[in-house]
Amino acid sequence: PTPAAAMSFFVTSTGRGIGGNLGGLAGADALCRQRATAVGRADRLWRAYLSAPPSADAPAVNARDRIGRGPWVNARGVQIAASVEQLHSEAVNLTIETALTEKGGIVAPQRHDILTGSNPDGTLVASGDATCSGWTSHGDGRAMVGHHNRYGGGRGDSWNSAHLSRGCSQ
């Protein structure tokens, strides 16, 4: 089915296939644009929900500051959150039934980790590298991951900040 015209939020159905190396923020954004374009939703600015450390060319980035002000709506037209504040609160409407892919599908329950590099409030994890070297490593390092279905180990009920990954490989 064609995603809802109001779609502004999705969990990518497939990654790049090389772990935490997303090609930096620019590569991650391009992946989101590709996935949205593939389902006919190239009509908006798509940005990956990722925080990133400072680099020689740019200051640190908080995921919450790069995704707009909301509302966020999934591929089936269900509102996830009306505002940045709601997106980062217990009132966020993210469950296994609402955290859908760009195609409108449910993500497999056993694959609930999503890369974010973020604290529960959407800011960059500041203690050590939690972003696979700014989303460029597919080997060394670790990343903060959330659980799209808000269930599981660590802070399992956090969609954007549940635990650190074991590494950056696929």
Side-chain angles (χ1 to χ4, degrees):
T2 302
M7 182 178 81
S8 56
F9 179 98
F10 62 87
V11 177
T12 55
S13 59
T14 57
R16 289 184 68 202
I18 50 177
N21 181 353
L22 303 174
L25 290 178
D29 291 346
L31 180 64
C32 288
R33 280 192 304 277
Q34 289 169 355
R35 300 294 178 259
T37 299
V39 295
R41 292 291 171 248
D43 55 344
R44 66 174 47 240
L45 175 63
W46 290 98
R47 290 197 175 145
Y49 183 93
L50 295 171
S51 293
S55 68
D57 301 328
V61 175
N62 297 314
R64 69 179 291 133
D65 298 334
R66 63 188 316 269
I67 57 166
R69 297 181 355 192
W72 291 277
V73 175
N74 73 14
R76 294 186 188 164
V78 175
Q79 185 170 290
I80 301 302
S83 65
V84 173
E85 292 75 25
Q86 185 181 17
L87 186 65
H88 297 99
S89 76
E90 289 297 314
V92 66
N93 183 23
L94 279 174
T95 66
I96 195 165
E97 293 87 17
T98 62
L100 304 176
T101 70
E102 72 278 7
K103 299 173 185 177
I106 291 175
V107 180
Q110 69 275 19
R111 297 186 63 139
H112 66 181
D113 286 354
I114 56 174
L115 299 169
T116 70
S118 302
N119 292 307
D121 67 354
T123 58
L124 173 67
V125 173
S127 57
D129 180 29
T131 65
C132 291
S133 298
W135 309 114
T136 62
S137 174
H138 60 270
D140 294 335
R142 300 186 339 166
M144 180 57 73
V145 299
H147 291 166
H148 79 275
N149 59 1
R150 298 177 69 196
Y151 180 79
R155 289 187 300 237
D157 63 345
S158 178
W159 75 269
N160 67 339
S161 190
H163 59 83
L164 288 167
S165 66
R166 288 182 288 236
C168 293
S169 67
Q170 188 68 21

